[in-house]
């Protein structure tokens, strides 16, 4: 279940980055980079907290 959750998060974040990059921003690469870095950082923090919770609680 934990691995499925990680895969779903990865697909959702990837789709969000693709959608924002292609449909919303177009040629504005600086803003696309900022949004992509923000999404990746947020996902990394979520995964880190999820892994810590999994290790500490043991569920």
């Amino acid at each position: 279940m934990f691995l499925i959750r990680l895969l779903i998060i990865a697909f959702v974040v990837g789709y969000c980055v693709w959608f924002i990059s292609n449909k919303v921003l177009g040629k504005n690469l600086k803003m696309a980079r900022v949004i992509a870095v923000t999404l990746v950082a947020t996902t990394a923090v979520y995964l880190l907290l999820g892994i810590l919770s999994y290790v500490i609680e043991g569920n």
Side-chain angles (χ1 to χ4, degrees):
M1 186 65 181
F2 183 70
L3 185 60
I4 293 172
R5 185 186 305 172
L6 292 178
L7 288 173
I8 291 171
I9 292 168
F11 283 125
V12 169
V13 169
Y15 177 77
C16 289
V17 169
W18 173 82
F19 181 79
I20 290 171
S21 177
N22 286 337
K23 303 294 181 183
V24 177
L25 296 175
K27 302 282 185 185
N28 193 355
L29 292 179
K30 289 182 182 180
M31 185 61 89
R33 287 181 185 155
V34 169
I35 291 173
V37 167
T38 303
L39 284 172
V40 169
T42 304
T43 303
V45 169
Y46 176 79
L47 290 176
L48 177 67
L49 292 175
I51 290 169
L52 285 175
S53 173
Y54 181 78
V55 168
I56 291 172
E57 294 177 5
N59 289 332

